[in-house]
Amino acid sequence: EVQLQASGGGLVQAGGSLRLSCAASGFIFDDNVIGWFRRAPGKEREGVSCISTSDGSTYYADSVKGRFTISSDSAKNTVYLQMNSLKPEDTAVYYCATDAIVCGANEELYAHWGQGTQVTVSS
């Protein structure tokens, strides 16, 4: 059974940092795509970043480029999202997802989803 456990959310002031973790199990971690999405209050879910664990290729939404960094640790079957220079508009529930053929922002590419973790950035 594919399982994804997101953690690391919290409350932070604007300009601060958080690191989200997505612990994965139940599939071949080193040959997959894992993505991060977020849903802000009153908005649709959007793709934030993703990584192909087989070749390390990544994707970032324009809104987070230069501030967020995605990485993977195959020894821990975990993908991280380092979020720096956080802005109030980054406030959202963040989800990780997997089992996509390609790394991208389209949520329809992903078959399995974890529960979300809340990130709140105060101004």
Side-chain angles (χ1 to χ4, degrees), residues 2 4 27 32-35 96-100 109-113:
V2 175
L4 299 169
F27 61 94
N32 218 305
V33 170
I34 297 177
C96 57
T98 192
D99 203 17
L109 296 173
Y110 297 80
H112 299 282
W113 294 78

Side-chain angles (χ1 to χ4, degrees), residues 7-121:
S7 61
L11 173 64
V12 64
Q13 290 187 331
S17 298
L18 283 173
R19 189 178 76 160
L20 304 183
S21 299
C22 177
S25 62
F27 61 94
I28 301 174
F29 183 84
D30 289 338
D31 187 21
N32 218 305
V33 170
I34 297 177
W36 283 100
F37 292 76
R38 66 186 181 188
R39 176 175 283 154
K43 296 186 177 181
E44 294 187 354
R45 189 160 56 187
E46 65 169 341
V48 175
S49 180
C50 62
I51 186 167
S52 170
T53 55
S54 60
D55 63 13
S57 58
T58 59
Y59 158 84
Y60 295 96
D62 288 342
S63 58
V64 306
K65 280 181 182 177
R67 300 189 298 123
F68 291 11
T69 302
I70 192 169
S71 62
S72 66
D73 184 339
S74 60
K76 297 182 179 180
N77 280 11
T78 300
V79 167
Y80 302 99
L81 185 67
Q82 178 67 44
M83 306 186 297
N84 299 328
S85 303
L86 283 162
K87 304 175 181 180
E89 51 264 44
D90 293 318
T91 294
V93 178
Y94 284 71
Y95 302 86
C96 57
T98 192
D99 203 17
I101 298 175
V102 295
C103 184
N106 185 350
E107 64 179 78
E108 295 183 0
L109 296 173
Y110 297 80
H112 299 282
W113 294 78
Q115 92 296 348
T117 185
Q118 176 71 48
V119 172
T120 303
V121 184

